[in-house]
Amino acid sequence: MATSYKVLGQITPSAASATTLYTVPAATQTVVSTLIACNQDTAVCTIRVAIRPDGATLESKHYLAYEVTLAARQTITFTLGITADAADVLTVQSSNAVTSFNAFGSEVA
């Protein structure tokens, strides 16, 4: 089994839209080590982060962070160590359209 350390996903989603940041590929396991959210706006925003096992429909039980406030121009780093299996989905959302999300980790295939 080979381990690949990489940028898992980078996205700036539309405002108030739950968006897939990363989906674990088939026959792969992933460790999401770090997630960074960067509010590039001059106003406060809120963010949400969820993990959906096997691509399940988003439910309240999937949230890791919900309505976390980011000040204007603020960056927050989550050190996670989430283990995910094939088809699991990392989902993010922001109240504005100028917050970027970056996920880093390792894939084992």
Side-chain angles (χ1 to χ4, degrees):
M1 297 185 94
T3 300
S4 177
Y5 302 97
K6 62 194 296 183
V7 176
L8 299 173
Q10 297 178 309
I11 195 166
T12 304
S14 300
S17 176
T19 305
T20 297
L21 174 60
Y22 173 74
T23 301
V24 181
T28 304
Q29 295 174 320
T30 298
V31 176
V32 181
S33 59
T34 307
L35 175 69
I36 299 170
C38 176
N39 179 9
Q40 299 163 42
D41 202 351
T42 56
V44 171
C45 76
T46 58
I47 63 166
R48 299 177 185 182
V49 178
I51 188 85
R52 298 184 292 126
D54 293 322
T57 300
L58 187 59
E59 297 180 43
S60 60
K61 66 182 178 182
H62 297 138
Y63 285 102
L64 307 173
Y66 191 85
E67 297 300 308
V68 174
T69 301
L70 289 182
R73 310 283 192 216
Q74 181 183 10
T75 298
I76 187 170
T77 301
F78 298 93
T79 304
L80 301 168
I82 294 172
T83 54
D85 201 8
D88 290 353
V89 178
L90 180 60
T91 301
V92 295
Q93 181 175 327
S94 175
S95 61
N96 66 27
V98 289
T99 296
S100 59
F101 293 88
N102 290 264
F104 304 89
S106 54
E107 291 179 337
V108 180

